[in-house]
Amino acid sequence: MTTQQHGDLVDVLVADHRQVDQAFTDYERGGMSDRQRRDLVDHIITELVRHSVAEEQYLYPAAREILPDGDEIADHEIAEHAEAERLMKELEGLDPADPAFDRLTRELIDDIRHHVADEENDLFPRLRQLCDADQLRDLGAKIAMAKESAPTRPHPAGPDRPPANMLLDPGIGLIDRMRDALSGRSR
């Protein structure tokens, strides 16, 4: 795919937000078997991890560089990612019949919706204002590429800042995709 097909940074990330919010809505609608709930939550976790990894590799470093308060914003967003990753790790090991499964899933949904609102109402408009179209397209392409090799499972102890995350995430992602294939966990 060319950079143009990916869209710019904001377009790519907002599309991810809409996709995962649709999965949240599907979960909230209910009426699913335990197996269906497990599969849907695994899908949500996969998409959130891939998205978060890409943001940590490219969005937050760009915010640090471009915005006057970029360090503060990036640190806040990364802290929210860490909390979400902790919840996802807990969910990963739970049986969907366990009452904690639904409680933690709803907590994750609430946390992510808050995080998305912060990004879409503050961070993204500010980046659109301060970056030129070429920068945003380049970052959009990098985000899309990072998601392809990103881990698919939560790794709360993993690095969340460049350069360490950019070096380790593709290898962790490969291992996760092998684990997914062997366990039948769909992407």
Side-chain angles (χ1 to χ4, degrees), residues 29-175:
R29 192 172 301 124
M32 293 179 280
S33 69
D34 284 351
R35 179 77 254 157
Q36 290 169 319
R37 288 172 54 240
R38 170 86 267 164
D39 289 346
L40 182 57
V41 169
D42 285 346
H43 168 73
I44 288 168
I45 289 170
T46 296
E47 293 309 313
L48 288 175
V49 168
R50 293 173 64 232
H51 178 88
S52 296
V53 163
E55 285 186 336
E56 290 168 3
Q57 287 181 4
Y58 294 103
L59 172 63
Y60 302 140
R64 287 180 194 285
E65 182 181 320
I66 295 162
L67 302 176
D69 58 347
D71 285 335
E72 180 184 328
I73 289 171
D75 290 345
H76 173 78
E77 300 297 327
I78 289 170
E80 288 186 349
H81 280 195
E83 175 58 20
E85 200 160 11
R86 184 194 62 74
L87 287 171
M88 289 185 281
K89 191 67 176 173
E90 257 187 274
L91 276 166
E92 197 177 45
L94 281 179
D95 185 302
D98 186 323
F101 186 86
D102 188 54
R103 180 182 52 77
L104 290 173
T105 300
R106 291 181 188 285
E107 185 178 338
L108 178 66
I109 289 170
D110 289 345
D111 288 356
I112 296 300
R113 283 185 171 147
H114 166 81
H115 179 78
V116 164
D118 281 352
E119 287 184 345
E120 291 186 9
N121 296 325
D122 181 46
L123 180 56
F124 293 172
R126 292 176 68 198
L127 287 173
R128 273 213 198 271
Q129 184 179 27
L130 295 173
C131 293
D132 65 39
D134 287 340
Q135 280 178 296
L136 290 172
R137 278 192 301 272
D138 181 55
L139 286 167
K142 288 176 178 174
I143 290 277
M145 280 184 22
K147 285 175 48 186
E148 289 304 312
S149 63
T152 61
R153 295 169 182 252
H155 298 278
D160 54 19
R161 291 184 187 210
N165 63 349
M166 295 177 90
L167 293 170
L168 296 176
D169 286 342
I172 295 168
L174 178 63
I175 292 166

